[in-house]
Amino acid sequence: MTLTPLHGIWSVQSSDGVYRADMALPGDIVTGLHDAGLIPDPYAGQNEYDLRWICETDWTARRSVTLTDADIDLVLSELDTVAQVHVNGTLVLDAANAFRTYRVPLGGVAQVGDNDIAITFRSPVAAGKAVSDAHPFPVPWSKNCPIPYGNFLRKPACDFGWDWNIALATSGIYGAMRLEPSAAARIDRLAISQDHSDGVSVTISVYTANHDGAVTVALAEETVTAHTTNGVCTVTITVANPQLWWPAGQGAQPLYDLTVTAGDAVATRRIGLRRMELLAEPDAAGLGFKIRVNGRDIFCKGANWIPADALPGRITDAKTRDLLQSAVDANMNMVRIWGGGRYEPDSFYDACDELGLLVWQDFMFACNLYPSDPVYLAEVRAEVHDNVARMHHHACLALWCGDNELVGALTWYDVSVADRDRYLVNYDRLNRCIEDALRDTDPDANWWPSSPSTGPLSFGDAWHDDSSGDMHFWSVWHEGRDFDHYRDVSPRFCSEFGFQSYPSMDVIRQFADPADFNIAAPVMESHQKNDGGNARIAETMFRYFRFPVDFENFVYVSQVQQALAIKTAVTHWRGLKPHCMGTLVWQLNDTWPVCSWASLDYGGGWKVLHHLAREFYAPVTVVVMPDGDELVLRAVNDTGAALDVSVTAHACAMDGTARELGRGSAQVDHDATELMRVAASDLGPQDMLAFGWTSSDGQKGGDVFAPRPYKAYDLLPARLACDTLFDGQHWTVSITAQAMAFFVTAEASVPGRFDRNAVHLGPGHTVTLRFTPADADATPTFTLRDLHSATYQT
C-alpha cells in the first residue's frame, strides 16, 4: 500500500488575513507563529496575556498535494479541535474532537494531479460558547481556566489554563496526517487479550477492510494462519516458556513481537505477558485498593503525568522519554495520566512498556461539569473506542479511570449544589457512557469510576475519607495544614498529594530578568497560577525554616521545603503497607516554566524533590513514624523476597557528635515491619535522629530525622569545600563539610544532570556527586548550597 504523507510545511493564515506564515504540521498554531518570528516567546515574561487573541481567531492551514490516484482516504488524528477540512473546495470533514482518529473517503472529490487541502481551525472560545449557549441548562467550566467554555469541547482541559498551566488554548494537528488508497487491504484493529489460567495464551482478533482471505499471525516463534469472515478472524497462540513482564523494580520487561499480515497490510505490536489485576476488596478498614501483577501485590510508587509541554508543537518523543526515564531513575514504577490533558501517543506507552512503568490512565475529563446530551455522548463513545482499541494491548496499562475529580466538582458550583439531583444524573450518564464504551472495546479492562473515589456508585468525600478506594489529599497545601497532618490520614492508595516549589534558577532565567527576581514581581506572579501560591510557599517557610538570605536561596529553600513535605507523606504511608498500597505525587513534570508541584523542572531537570524521591522510593528503606512520645523505625521491602534488615540509631548534635541510642533488626517481607523504637525524650533539644541500615541482600542506607522544625536548630557554618574533575564525559564534584550540613546541593551553570543531590553531610565527611552535562563540550561552574548558608546572614 502506497501512503502519501501530509506532514511538512503548510501555509497558515488568520481569518482576517493579517497574519500569514509557513509552519510545520504536525504542530500547533502558537508554536508556528513563534517559529516564524511573528510573535514573541509565549513563555517569557508576561507575554501570555498579549497572545490570547490567537485562540479567539480562526486559522486556516493549506497545502497542495499531487496525486496519481484519486481513489484515496484521508487519515487524521489529534485534530485540535473544531475544524473543517476542505479538499478542492469541498467540505469533507467537520470535526469536533481532538482525541479521535478520522478516516474520510475522498472518492469523487480528489483528482489526479494537483489537489488543494485546507484545514480551518475554529476559535475554541467561540466554538465552545456556541455549544454552551445552546445547552438547555448551565454547565460551568473549571475555575482553574481563565479561558472559558472548554468543558463543551473534546479538547485538553488544561489548554484553557490550569493552576500550573499557561492559558493559550492553541489549535493544530499532532498525530497522523496521510492519504491512503481506498481499495487497499488494511488492518483496522487488533483486539488482544491474555489468559494466564493455565500457562499463557494470547488471543488476537483481527479486523480487516478490503480483505477477506488468509491472515497470518506470528508471536513467540509461532505462526498461525486463519481466514477472515466478514472481515474478522480470531486466533489463539499458546506461548511456550513464557517470560513474564514485570513493573520496574520487580523483574525484567521482556516484550514479544506480534506481526499480523493480511494481504499487503501488516500490523505490528509489542506484547508483554502479564496478568494485571485491580483489587478493590472490602476489609475491616473499608475498601482496599491495590494493583496485583502476576500474582504479586505491588506498592505503586510514582507521580501524576501532565502533558510534556503546553504547546504540542514543542513535544518530542525524546523529551518525553527523558522525563519517563527520570521517573524510573527515581525508583518510581507508576505514572498516572491525568484526565485534564491528552491521551498520549503510542511512543509514550511503548516507552512505559520498555521501562516497566505502570500506567494509570484517566479518560480525559477533569474538574469541570460536562454535558451529557446525545451529541456529546456520541463523541465520547467514539473517543473511548478509538483510544482503548489503540492502547489496550500495552503491558504497562494497569487501569482505566473514568475521570479526575468530577464527583467533587458537583460541590464546587452554585448550580450543582442547588440542584444536585440534576447534575448527579447528568454526571452518571457520562460516567456510564465511558464505562460501557470501555467494556465494549476491551471487556477485560480494569475499570475505576473516578479519582478520587471511595468505590463504585459512591459519591462521597474522597478528599477526607481515607478508609476506602483512592484518595486525593490536599489539606496540607490547599488548607494550609502542617506537614505532620500527612500522618493523620491512612489512605488505601493516595493518587494525588503535593506541595509547590519554585522552578530552579536556570529555568527562572529562561523567562525572567534579574530585575524580576522577587516573589512579588509581576513576572514571577504571572508564572504562579495557583491563587495564593507564592504567599503559601513563603508562609510555610516561616513555620519550618529561618528565612532565606536572598532570592536564589529562597528558590533553593522552597525546593527543600517541597521535598520535606512530600517525604513526610510518602515515608509515613509506605510505613503503613499493606494498608496503604500506593502513593502518586502530584506531579512529575511541568508544561512550561512555572511555580508548581512538579518534581522535575520544565525541560527535565531534577528538583530537590526528585533527588529525595530516589531515596524515599528506594525498594528497601527504613522510615521514621512518630507515635506519641516515641519514634518508630519501620523497614519497608518492595523487592518481592524476604530480607533481614538491621538498623542503628544515634542522637546527632549540630557539631556532628553522635551517641548511639539503640539497634534493631527483623525479617521483612511484604508488610512494613517495626525494627525499633526511640523515646523522643532521648533526643536533646538540639539533637536530630540519625540512623543507618543494612539488608541481607547488601543494600544499605541511612537518613536524618528532625523532630522539630529546622528553624529551631542552631545550625553551624558548614564551610563546604569542593573539588572537581572531568573524565571526558562526566564531572565529579567532591564536597567536604566542617559541620553538619543539611540538603547539600550542587548547581551547575550549564544544563545537565547530577546523579544525586540534596544530601546530608557530617563534619569531615566527603560526598562525591557526578554531573553529566547535556553538551559534553560545555565547562560548568558549580554553586554549592546548604541550609545554613541559605538561611543565615554572614
Side-chain angles (χ1 to χ4, degrees):
M1 178 170 60
T2 302
L3 305 180
T4 302
L6 296 177
H7 60 265
I9 301 301
W10 290 58
S11 174
V12 176
Q13 179 175 304
S14 59
S15 56
D16 60 8
V18 173
Y19 288 86
R20 300 180 184 181
D22 289 340
M23 66 170 283
L25 291 179
D28 70 90
I29 300 295
V30 173
T31 298
L33 294 175
H34 175 252
D35 290 347
L38 298 180
I39 61 172
D41 182 358
Y43 296 172
Q46 302 180 78
N47 291 340
E48 167 193 2
Y49 308 111
D50 294 330
L51 298 176
R52 287 189 183 162
W53 63 268
I54 297 170
C55 71
E56 298 171 354
T57 302
D58 294 348
W59 297 86
T60 297
R62 173 174 270 110
R63 66 161 291 177
S64 178
V65 60
T66 302
L67 300 175
T68 57
D69 180 2
D71 187 15
I72 55 172
D73 290 352
L74 172 66
V75 179
L76 301 173
S77 66
E78 296 184 77
L79 179 59
D80 183 12
T81 291
V82 177
Q84 289 81 45
V85 181
H86 290 80
V87 176
N88 297 326
T90 299
L91 178 66
V92 298
L93 175 64
D94 196 351
N97 192 325
F99 306 126
R100 289 185 58 185
T101 297
Y102 298 97
R103 175 179 291 275
V104 184
L106 298 183
V109 177
Q111 60 193 20
V112 174
D114 292 339
N115 293 261
D116 178 73
I117 303 177
I119 305 173
T120 298
F121 301 96
R122 299 301 180 187
S123 161
V125 181
K129 184 178 188 303
V131 182
S132 175
D133 289 348
H135 199 268
F137 57 90
V139 182
W141 55 88
S142 174
K143 299 173 183 177
N144 282 324
C145 303
I147 299 176
Y149 308 115
N151 55 331
F152 281 92
L153 302 181
R154 297 307 303 138
K155 174 178 174 60
C158 65
D159 282 0
F160 297 86
W162 216 260
D163 54 5
W164 38 260
N165 200 31
I166 193 170
L168 293 172
T170 191
S171 298
I173 183 167
Y174 321 125
M177 300 181 69
R178 64 180 183 268
L179 298 171
E180 297 181 0
S182 299
R186 67 175 187 267
I187 298 170
D188 282 340
R189 182 187 168 203
L190 299 179
I192 302 168
S193 62
Q194 300 182 25
D195 184 350
H196 290 250
S197 60
D198 183 14
V200 178
S201 62
V202 180
T203 297
I204 305 104
S205 293
V206 184
Y207 294 80
T208 66
N210 304 323
H211 178 84
D212 263 326
V215 172
T216 61
V217 180
L219 174 71
E221 300 182 355
E222 295 285 338
T223 300
V224 177
T225 299
H227 288 77
T228 58
T229 301
N230 297 322
V232 181
C233 68
T234 299
V235 301
T236 298
I237 294 177
T238 299
V239 180
N241 302 313
Q243 303 299 304
L244 297 183
W245 182 96
W246 291 94
Q250 299 295 317
Q253 293 81 43
L255 297 170
Y256 290 79
D257 291 326
L258 168 68
T259 302
V260 179
T261 304
D264 292 334
V266 178
T268 60
R269 303 287 189 272
R270 301 188 75 200
I271 307 297
L273 304 177
R274 87 291 185 266
R275 183 182 181 188
M276 188 76 66
E277 299 174 87
L278 168 62
L279 301 180
E281 299 172 333
D283 57 21
L287 186 73
F289 188 105
K290 62 185 176 184
I291 300 297
R292 179 176 291 169
V293 182
N294 303 328
R296 182 185 302 170
D297 292 346
I298 306 297
F299 190 100
C300 295
K301 303 175 291 189
N304 285 263
W305 173 271
I306 59 176
D309 203 291
L311 295 174
R314 297 187 177 191
I315 297 174
T316 67
D317 288 349
K319 292 177 182 178
T320 298
R321 176 72 180 234
D322 183 66
L323 296 171
L324 296 173
Q325 183 67 59
S326 285
V328 174
D329 291 346
N331 290 309
M332 296 182 183
N333 61 16
M334 176 177 269
V335 289
R336 172 181 175 238
I337 300 179
W338 169 75
R342 64 197 286 244
Y343 304 97
E344 293 295 331
D346 294 338
S347 58
F348 181 99
Y349 304 96
D350 289 340
C352 290
D353 286 345
E354 295 163 6
L355 294 170
L357 273 174
L358 297 168
V359 171
W360 168 318
Q361 178 70 56
D362 279 2
F363 287 100
M364 291 299 115
F365 304 87
C367 299
N368 289 286
L369 301 184
Y370 288 91
S372 66
D373 57 88
V375 172
Y376 189 86
L377 294 185
E379 285 290 348
V380 170
R381 288 188 194 94
E383 165 190 327
V384 171
H385 171 79
D386 283 359
N387 287 284
V388 175
R390 173 174 67 91
M391 294 155 45
H392 76 287
H393 70 281
H394 283 281
C396 63
L397 193 57
L399 68 107
W400 292 90
C401 179
D403 60 70
N404 176 79
E405 297 188 352
L406 263 59
V407 174
L410 294 170
T411 68
W412 298 345
Y413 305 98
D414 291 343
V415 291
S416 55
V417 171
D419 193 357
R420 181 174 172 84
D421 288 353
R422 164 184 275 187
Y423 289 91
L424 181 58
V425 170
N426 179 70
Y427 166 74
D428 187 60
R429 286 176 178 171
L430 172 62
N431 193 253
R432 286 179 179 273
C433 171
I434 297 167
E435 181 181 6
D436 289 347
L438 168 65
R439 299 292 189 202
D440 288 344
T441 312
D442 182 12
D444 298 326
N446 292 322
W447 161 258
W448 190 244
S450 181
S451 184
S453 173
T454 53
L457 296 178
S458 176
F459 304 102
D461 180 3
W463 280 263
H464 298 91
D465 182 352
D466 62 354
S467 68
S468 300
D470 78 305
M471 185 180 197
H472 291 187
F473 190 66
W474 282 105
S475 295
V476 172
W477 175 258
H478 286 302
E479 298 174 16
R481 305 291 293 272
D482 59 39
F483 296 168
D484 284 338
H485 189 47
Y486 285 122
R487 301 187 176 107
D488 294 336
V489 296
S490 302
R492 314 312 303 271
F493 192 114
C494 196
S495 48
E496 275 193 28
F497 61 103
F499 201 91
Q500 274 202 1
S501 73
Y502 276 70
S504 301
M505 283 306 305
D506 61 322
V507 175
I508 290 175
R509 292 186 180 98
Q510 294 175 23
F511 67 82
D513 295 326
D516 302 313
F517 290 177
N518 185 300
I519 66 171
V523 166
M524 295 304 302
E525 290 186 333
S526 72
H527 287 254
Q528 166 61 271
K529 298 301 185 181
N530 184 237
D531 288 344
N534 287 348
R536 191 168 295 116
I537 292 171
E539 188 275 331
T540 305
M541 207 174 283
F542 276 115
R543 294 191 220 169
Y544 290 100
F545 303 97
R546 304 186 189 193
F547 210 70
V549 298
D550 57 24
F551 177 78
E552 292 194 15
N553 281 294
F554 180 92
V555 169
Y556 158 74
V557 175
S558 81
Q559 293 195 11
V560 170
Q561 175 172 268
Q562 175 193 36
L564 182 62
I566 301 308
K567 179 181 178 180
T568 301
V570 170
T571 54
H572 188 78
W573 295 339
R574 287 191 75 187
L576 298 176
K577 182 186 176 188
H579 175 87
C580 176
M581 285 300 292
T583 62
L584 304 180
V585 179
W586 185 271
Q587 64 214 58
L588 179 68
N589 56 307
D590 269 331
T591 59
W592 72 307
V594 66
C595 301
S596 83
W597 299 268
S599 65
L600 295 174
D601 275 319
Y602 177 69
W606 289 32
K607 292 185 181 179
V608 170
L609 170 55
H610 208 76
H611 284 288
L612 263 63
R614 181 174 174 269
E615 305 300 325
F616 62 62
Y617 272 150
V620 179
T621 192
V622 173
V623 301
V624 179
M625 302 176 68
D627 182 16
D629 57 2
E630 293 182 307
L631 301 175
V632 182
L633 280 75
R634 294 172 68 86
V636 181
N637 173 18
D638 290 337
T639 65
L643 297 171
D644 295 323
V645 180
S646 301
V647 66
T648 302
H650 293 83
C652 179
M654 294 303 95
D655 62 2
T657 58
R659 51 189 172 83
E660 185 173 322
L661 298 176
R663 303 185 179 203
S665 62
Q667 185 178 78
V668 185
D669 200 348
H670 179 265
D671 296 0
T673 302
E674 182 176 320
L675 301 177
M676 64 176 294
R677 289 175 177 252
V678 173
S681 59
D682 287 346
L683 297 174
Q686 288 294 305
D687 287 341
M688 296 184 187
L689 176 64
F691 58 93
W693 59 266
T694 60
S695 64
S696 54
D697 65 348
Q699 297 186 65
K700 61 182 180 180
D703 204 355
V704 174
F705 177 84
R708 306 169 67 203
Y710 278 91
K711 70 178 184 180
Y713 294 91
D714 296 325
L715 305 184
L716 300 176
R719 297 189 177 90
L720 300 176
C722 174
D723 291 320
T724 61
L725 180 66
F726 184 56
D727 64 7
Q729 184 177 5
H730 309 288
W731 290 82
T732 56
V733 183
S734 298
I735 306 170
T736 304
Q738 296 185 25
M740 285 300 298
F742 298 100
F743 304 103
V744 175
T745 299
E747 299 174 359
S749 61
V750 301
R753 182 168 300 167
F754 288 93
D755 65 333
R756 58 188 301 214
N757 230 331
V759 299
H760 301 317
L761 193 58
H765 291 271
T766 299
V767 63
T768 298
L769 312 180
R770 187 177 70 174
F771 176 74
T772 304
D775 178 359
D777 295 329
T779 301
T781 58
F782 296 99
T783 300
L784 303 183
R785 302 191 191 278
D786 70 283
L787 205 52
H788 178 275
S789 63
T791 57
Y792 284 68
Q793 295 284 355
T794 57

